[in-house]
Amino acid sequence: MSVRILPDFLVNQIAAGEVVENPASVVKELMENALDAGADQIVVDVVDGGRTSITVVDNGRGMNRADLEKSIMRHATSKLPDDDLTNITYMGFRGEALPSIASVSDVTIDTYHAGEPNGWQLNATTGEIKPSNWDSGTRIRVQNLFAKVPARLKFLRGDRAEVMSVLEIVKRLAMARRDVGFVLNNKWFFPKNQDLLERMAAVMGDDILGRMLEINADSGSTELSIHGFISEPTLRRASSVDQFLFVNGRPVKDKVIVGALRAAYMDVMHAREFPLCALFLGLNPHNVDVNVSPAKTEVHFLEPAHVRAFIIKTLRARLAETMNEHVSVSQNMVDAPVPHQMNLSAGIRNCDDIKNFNNSSVMRVCDSGGDYNKKVFDNRASCPDFVINNQEEPATRVDVFDDMPLGRAIGQIGDKYILAEKENNLIIVDQHAAHERITYERVRTHAIKVQPLLTPIVVNMRIEDVNAIMTVVDELKLSGVVLDAFGDTAIAIFEKPADWDLDWAHLLHEIADEVRANGHSVQLNEKLHLKLANWACHHSLRAGQKLDLNQMNALLRDIENTTRGGQCNHGRPVYKVIPIADLDVIFERS
Ligand code: ADP
Ligand code: MG
């Protein structure tokens, strides 16, 4: 095969493969162009999720006839007047977006530039330009997206899902540019000149108010600075949807910053929960390269370790301040609850106290066939009670557990491992892994009993969350949850799995967060299923949770009764058996 120079239309379609992924990426490029043109009001309309048409109208400076003609040519840009790629102040600079979009859709541009006798209209498909009565700013209309490349059309998701992605883009730019007003589909409004907190509330929801911590620091020079807000540890989301990061004003999704954010919250938030934030990082433009990916959401720092350390230090210091505030508040409170352990030790002052305490401790051993929830969480479960009496011979004491492979629970360490004793073995159980395994097996093997509700449960949500939930309606149905949109801002649940009385509002918000962050995937159904089941288990038993002995024993019995109970769903071990002989070796007894 001989080497050939590709024709322009093909080069553009190939470039479009990178730049134009979906309607949201079209909107992103068009909005960035509007911002670069100095607009302070941008109106976006998306019809049929963007398939039929995407229109972006701005009040920027517009284009004269000559520029309009060049704008849809490849590598044509007005944004690199000199050849310095290190000092990029515009959002776009590649001159790729318009020709790429035009190669996979029908683009019409109306624009007016001061000094021209009239506005102009360009039909990008025919290349024809004619006078128009357009008299301010620019309107770009993209119709029949991907009609020319049907293979790409197949990858578009449902209308609601595509609109949601568009909304996320609008939000990101709205966070970046508070001086500009944005409107999407006449439903979402982000007025111009909001202050940062007002904008954050408009974008993330009103629940953030009063719960964000201000950040303002520089590294001692003007080379590196950070400002914005991060959430108190008690305010978090199930995904990273509400994390807004900017480098020199440009929205980014950067691994260095995300990693630093996670590290800063490591001690105060579970790894699967996400803090909210709007963080603006300022750097000398020579210390950062924004010219990394065509979608331009990644950056390269010259000194990533320095940036990371600076962010972690700043955020940790701010989080520590609030922790101290909380501690001193509770210390000042006369009725501050006394931690459980202190109660115990305070009550035990002499040998008699210890004896009484031991004599009165009641241990509940459950039969191993029953329902997990009931055994662990319902104290009314009909299990026989055994009084552990210290005076008894050890042999009698262990009897009850002799037939049980994982033996008798003797305690918990680090609030995450259960220690058990069985014959001549010490057994260490990872309680979280065990819980996951049990839940997963339950979900896998039990058909869900669905219960229709006499009165539907109505959960109020923002429009975007309702949209998110509606994109997974079928998956939820498979998991026994039948629901529908109830107007624009609520969801009504009509059927639910029997006996699952959950905090539905909280659960639906979590699912919405995840769908908005990760989109719709084939694994979603399994994940939702598991998530619902997890909630059914009272969202409980994580590492970090204190258990009493009867809860520990109930958990041990459940692992014994679970298929593949030795491993969690991710293949990690659930328990380890350490023979006392091995301990003897450690203590040099053998
Ligand atoms: P880039 O933004 O990288 O320069 P584009 O293909 O997105 O490349 O746009 C090409 C050119 O068209 C821009 O450089 C700009 O001069 C002009 N242009 C595009 N959109 C607008 C708009 N909304 N208002 C004014 N000029 C625009
Ligand atoms: Mg552009």
Side-chain angles (χ1 to χ4, degrees):
M1 237 185 289
S2 55
V3 175
R4 73 167 183 140
I5 308 280
L6 297 176
D8 268 358
F9 80 92
L10 212 54
V11 172
N12 285 333
Q13 281 195 359
I14 291 169
E18 267 189 281
V19 181
V20 192
E21 202 186 316
N22 52 22
S25 53
V26 172
V27 169
K28 172 176 182 290
E29 294 295 337
L30 299 183
M31 285 174 64
E32 288 185 353
N33 282 345
L35 291 171
D36 284 343
D40 70 359
Q41 191 62 46
I42 301 177
V43 177
V44 181
D45 278 293
V46 166
V47 178
D48 298 331
R51 253 173 277 254
T52 306
S53 83
I54 297 170
T55 310
V56 175
V57 180
D58 68 61
N59 63 351
R61 70 182 75 88
M63 286 174 271
N64 60 29
R65 191 184 193 288
D67 284 347
L68 179 61
E69 193 172 354
K70 280 187 278 184
S71 69
I72 54 164
M73 293 178 184
R74 198 160 164 72
H75 301 310
T77 179
S78 56
K79 301 170 193 174
L80 284 178
D82 51 25
D83 295 337
D84 184 2
L85 263 184
T86 58
N87 197 3
I88 295 161
T89 48
Y90 290 105
M91 313 222 52
F93 52 83
R94 291 164 182 269
E96 270 184 336
L98 287 186
S100 301
I101 296 168
S103 75
V104 292
S105 66
D106 298 320
V107 172
T108 316
I109 306 178
D110 288 278
T111 186
Y112 173 81
H113 191 273
E116 294 281 297
N118 48 265
W120 299 102
Q121 183 180 77
L122 164 71
N123 177 330
T125 312
T126 60
E128 186 195 351
I129 296 186
K130 58 183 185 194
S132 100
N133 56 6
W134 196 257
D135 62 2
S136 159
T138 301
R139 175 180 70 185
I140 303 196
R141 177 163 284 172
V142 175
Q143 286 168 302
N144 309 321
L145 182 66
F146 296 144
K148 298 173 191 171
V149 269
R152 304 286 301 279
L153 205 53
K154 277 196 284 195
F155 285 97
L156 289 186
R157 297 163 302 162
D159 291 358
R160 283 179 193 269
E162 294 298 346
V163 171
M164 266 163 32
S165 304
V166 170
L167 176 63
E168 296 305 324
I169 294 290
V170 174
K171 284 182 169 179
R172 236 146 260 278
L173 286 172
M175 286 297 302
R177 292 293 302 274
R178 286 179 287 117
D179 55 326
V180 179
F182 299 83
V183 181
L184 170 61
N185 279 7
N186 224 1
K187 261 188 188 165
W188 289 277
F189 300 89
F190 304 100
K192 73 174 182 182
N193 296 332
Q194 285 185 309
D195 71 29
L196 184 50
L197 268 178
E198 281 171 342
R199 188 66 126 207
M200 285 166 60
V203 165
M204 303 177 187
D206 285 344
D207 60 334
I208 68 151
L209 291 170
R211 301 175 71 188
M212 300 299 287
L213 311 171
E214 189 161 8
I215 300 288
N216 210 342
D218 62 52
S219 68
S221 64
T222 49
E223 293 289 290
L224 183 55
S225 67
I226 187 167
H227 80 273
F229 287 88
I230 58 173
S231 62
E232 286 180 359
T234 52
L235 178 63
R236 54 208 172 201
R237 299 278 191 253
S239 76
S240 60
V241 268
D242 285 326
Q243 294 186 347
F244 294 85
L245 306 170
F246 304 88
V247 171
N248 291 347
R250 192 182 285 278
V252 298
K253 282 200 176 121
D254 180 78
K255 287 200 278 296
V256 173
I257 314 180
V258 171
L261 183 66
R262 182 163 289 290
Y265 276 85
M266 200 169 68
D267 299 334
V268 290
M269 205 175 275
H270 194 273
R272 273 176 280 174
E273 296 167 331
F274 299 80
L276 293 73
C277 71
L279 286 173
F280 297 81
L281 211 60
L283 272 93
N284 180 329
H286 291 282
N287 291 338
V288 60
D289 182 4
V290 294
N291 188 18
V292 177
S293 70
K296 298 183 295 278
T297 53
E298 276 173 46
V299 290
H300 273 173
F301 295 109
L302 202 61
E303 295 178 297
H306 179 54
V307 173
R308 180 182 152 86
F310 171 66
I311 298 174
I312 296 178
K313 194 174 123 224
T314 308
L315 302 194
R316 279 219 173 132
R318 187 66 187 90
L319 287 168
E321 267 173 48
T322 44
M323 295 303 184
N324 292 341
E325 282 161 24
H326 286 312
V327 170
S328 55
V329 169
S330 63
Q331 271 170 356
N332 289 337
M333 277 165 43
V334 182
D335 294 332
V338 183
H340 188 56
Q341 292 96 322
M342 282 172 66
N343 258 340
L344 286 183
S345 51
I348 298 172
R349 284 175 304 271
N350 55 39
C351 295
D352 279 340
D353 279 345
I354 293 175
K355 211 161 45 191
N356 292 339
F357 174 72
N358 280 333
N359 280 340
S360 65
S361 73
V362 172
M363 183 162 187
R364 203 181 279 271
V365 179
C366 305
D367 77 61
S368 46
D371 175 58
Y372 178 70
N373 277 340
K374 284 218 158 53
K375 278 188 297 182
V376 177
F377 301 104
D378 187 348
N379 285 333
R380 291 160 298 162
S382 56
C383 308
D385 287 346
F386 290 84
V387 175
I388 303 297
N389 185 337
N390 251 13
Q391 314 304 317
E392 272 181 61
E393 291 299 308
T396 339
R397 189 156 49 102
V398 178
D399 263 353
V400 186
F401 299 95
D402 257 4
D403 295 335
M404 303 175 181
L406 294 178
R408 179 176 69 102
I410 50 181
Q412 193 186 19
I413 47 171
D415 291 345
K416 61 181 167 192
Y417 296 107
I418 295 169
L419 303 186
E421 174 187 15
K422 161 80 181 174
E423 289 155 5
N424 283 328
N425 296 302
L426 168 68
I427 296 165
I428 306 180
V429 179
D430 177 336
Q431 69 185 45
H432 178 63
H435 180 243
E436 264 186 7
R437 179 78 254 162
I438 293 162
T439 308
Y440 187 75
E441 285 302 323
R442 276 189 50 192
V443 170
R444 226 172 46 86
T445 51
H446 289 69
I448 296 171
K449 242 198 324 186
V450 175
Q451 170 197 6
L453 295 165
L454 286 178
T455 346
I457 301 171
V458 177
V459 176
N460 291 321
M461 306 182 90
R462 291 184 298 167
I463 303 178
E464 52 265 46
D465 292 329
V466 170
N467 277 349
I469 293 295
M470 292 310 292
T471 65
V472 293
V473 139
D474 293 339
E475 284 78 1
L476 284 165
K477 194 170 176 186
L478 284 176
S479 298
V481 183
V482 177
L483 49 73
D484 200 356
F486 192 61
D488 261 357
T489 56
I491 289 282
I493 302 173
F494 298 102
E495 289 177 25
K496 66 173 188 67
D499 308 326
W500 287 15
D501 292 317
L502 318 178
D503 180 348
W504 289 99
H506 194 162
L507 175 63
L508 289 186
H509 278 106
E510 271 203 0
I511 294 175
D513 283 353
E514 269 176 26
V515 174
R516 283 168 54 205
N518 306 321
H520 194 269
S521 75
V522 264
Q523 290 158 350
L524 191 76
N525 187 33
E526 191 177 314
K527 276 206 203 139
L528 279 178
H529 211 53
L530 189 57
K531 195 177 186 76
L532 286 162
N534 259 320
W535 271 74
C537 290
H538 293 215
H539 217 206
S540 200
L541 221 57
R542 294 181 167 162
Q545 185 171 327
K546 282 205 191 318
L547 301 177
D548 60 27
L549 278 177
N550 57 338
Q551 289 173 324
M552 290 181 217
N553 274 305
L555 186 68
L556 295 183
R557 302 295 77 83
D558 268 323
I559 306 166
E560 290 160 356
N561 282 299
T562 301
T563 329
R564 286 168 293 153
Q567 275 190 343
C568 80
N569 323 335
H570 309 108
R572 282 187 288 114
V574 166
Y575 60 84
K576 290 268 183 212
V577 178
I578 303 177
I580 289 189
D582 286 4
L583 297 179
D584 289 344
V585 173
I586 296 174
F587 290 99
E588 300 176 14
R589 275 174 165 274
S590 49

